[in-house]
Amino acid sequence: QPRWRQQQFMLRVDANKTNYAQYDTINTNGYNLLAQWNWKLGSRMRGDMGYGYTAEQGSLEDIQLPVKNTQIQKRLFYSFIYQAPAWMAAWGMGSGATEHIYAGETFKDHTSMNYFMDLAYVSRAGNRLGLKWNRYISSPDGAQLFLSSDFIPALLSLDRHYTEQSLSAYARWARAPWQLSLDVGALQRHYQQDNGRDVRGLQFNSQLNYAYSPKTQWNVQLIHAISGKDELLNAQSVNATLRSEWTWKPTVKQTYKPFVQINRETFSGETRIGYTDFLGQARVYLGSADRVDRNFSTGLIAEYTPTERWFLHASLLYQSRRSSVPQFSYRDTIFLLGARWQFY
């Protein structure tokens, strides 16, 4: 086969609109653009490179105010994969930038670099045992929080310059009608200036899939994850999630996915905020705000593909949260409509 026929070029465009029943002044149009080249060289070497752009309304729970909180994310990425009969090696890197339109969130603006390596044994049946390493570097864009009072004007800043690394072992096993996926590893995040916010811990992700028939499948997922939080009051969170999803595909063009998910997220960690007082002296504020959120969500996702290039989807979702800090508790019902056109 000629080399040019092994290449695949893809352009994907998603458009969506977020409407609020009570706060229609913050209704937002969202976009998702992906341009990607899936390259291939011979029978063993392949990879991809591309550019992605996303603009969407951020969650109102981040700011607790009915204002437009549009978030813009840009990314460039590249990967290389070498596939041998009994093993596979992959390497990749990317860069990104995150921007917030709402002035109260611009202190979260940052650029990033990420790298990954993956090495796995591949059996004749296609099952895998592997080891994966990730490194993510975040650098602030210089945005800062300003705090002033009648007595002490001060400049507050949240350290957003950090390096996060993870190392995990994984397994992929399949024998009809079952599929099993398991990842177990450790994560560490180190801040350049404020190491009191450093994060480290163990995490895992497991998925089990059962195919009742070619048209019906059931999937259950159990996750325990630790992550750093880009907030003033919390340094980290521990997240435990159980999700069950059913997939029914009555025709090749229609797919329906009802799901149920429960989640418990615990926020903790001492916050250390550095600032300069009105005399020019460096100060440090120490504080903490432990919080526990119990989340429940359920819904139905419907997908329709009238042609190879058109993809339509609709979602009806219900979400609720009971938080130990009452202001973070909420209930909402969300209806989403989306369309995507893909060129390749």
Side-chain angles (χ1 to χ4, degrees), residues 231-235 267-271 287-292 325:
E231 301 175 355
L232 287 175
L233 294 180
N234 302 106
F267 300 83
S268 63
E270 185 181 73
T271 299
S288 64
D290 293 343
R291 177 177 128 216
V292 177
V325 180

Side-chain angles (χ1 to χ4, degrees), residues 1 52 58 118 147 154 164 166 196 203 210 219 228 233 236 264 286 296 334:
Q1 188 180 31
D118 191 345
L147 174 67
E164 183 174 289
S166 65
Q203 52 188 10
Y210 178 73
N219 178 273
L233 294 180
Q236 67 182 37
R264 185 180 190 274
L286 300 179
F296 172 81
I334 303 172

Side-chain angles (χ1 to χ4, degrees), residues 48-212:
D48 60 36
M49 60 177 13
Y51 170 80
Y53 176 94
T54 301
E56 60 186 5
Q57 168 76 347
S59 173
L60 295 183
E61 66 188 74
D62 292 340
I63 52 178
Q64 300 288 302
L65 292 172
V67 297
K68 281 193 175 182
N69 184 26
T70 305
Q71 299 177 11
I72 297 174
Q73 293 183 325
K74 308 170 187 176
R75 63 189 179 100
L76 288 168
F77 57 91
Y78 170 82
S79 73
F80 171 85
I81 302 173
Y82 184 85
Q83 180 76 60
W87 58 275
M88 180 276 298
W91 173 87
M93 64 179 296
S95 63
T98 300
E99 304 171 8
H100 296 77
I101 301 302
Y102 174 55
E105 291 281 278
T106 55
F107 74 97
K108 295 182 179 179
D109 291 358
H110 66 283
T111 57
S112 63
M113 290 292 298
N114 64 283
Y115 310 87
F116 80 88
M117 294 181 65
D118 191 345
L119 182 63
Y121 161 76
V122 184
S123 72
R124 292 182 179 179
N127 300 320
R128 296 191 179 193
L129 285 174
L131 197 64
K132 192 170 186 177
W133 169 81
N134 284 277
R135 180 181 176 89
Y136 179 89
I137 303 171
S138 171
S139 302
D141 279 351
Q144 295 176 316
L145 288 177
F146 290 87
L147 174 67
S148 62
S149 69
D150 295 336
F151 304 101
I152 304 178
L155 175 64
L156 289 177
S157 64
L158 180 65
D159 186 7
R160 288 199 48 81
H161 196 163
Y162 64 83
T163 300
E164 183 174 289
Q165 297 189 85
S166 65
L167 181 65
S168 61
Y170 67 89
R172 306 287 184 267
W173 174 85
R175 175 179 290 181
W178 297 95
Q179 290 183 340
L180 175 65
S181 172
L182 179 64
D183 296 69
V184 180
L187 176 141
Q188 176 178 299
R189 176 185 286 196
H190 174 69
Y191 289 87
Q192 183 177 28
Q193 298 177 347
D194 187 3
N195 54 25
R197 295 175 62 84
D198 286 1
V199 177
R200 59 180 58 88
L202 300 176
Q203 52 188 10
F204 68 85
N205 186 334
S206 60
Q207 292 191 61
L208 180 65
N209 190 82
Y210 178 73
Y212 290 97

Side-chain angles (χ1 to χ4, degrees), residues 254-327:
Q254 300 175 56
T255 305
Y256 301 94
K257 298 179 180 179
F259 73 90
V260 176
Q261 178 175 301
I262 57 175
N263 166 273
R264 185 180 190 274
E265 189 168 13
T266 304
F267 300 83
S268 63
E270 185 181 73
T271 299
R272 292 147 56 95
I273 305 173
Y275 66 92
T276 303
D277 65 17
F278 71 106
L279 296 177
Q281 297 179 341
R283 304 289 185 183
V284 176
Y285 166 78
L286 300 179
S288 64
D290 293 343
R291 177 177 128 216
V292 177
D293 290 351
R294 293 174 173 83
N295 304 295
F296 172 81
S297 61
T298 186
L300 174 64
I301 302 169
E303 301 171 349
Y304 180 63
T305 53
T307 68
E308 288 185 351
R309 289 183 170 85
W310 277 105
F311 175 83
L312 309 174
H313 61 91
S315 303
L316 179 62
L317 311 173
Y318 170 79
Q319 300 176 154
S320 68
R321 168 182 293 168
R322 292 187 299 113
S323 177
S324 60
V325 180
Q327 72 186 71

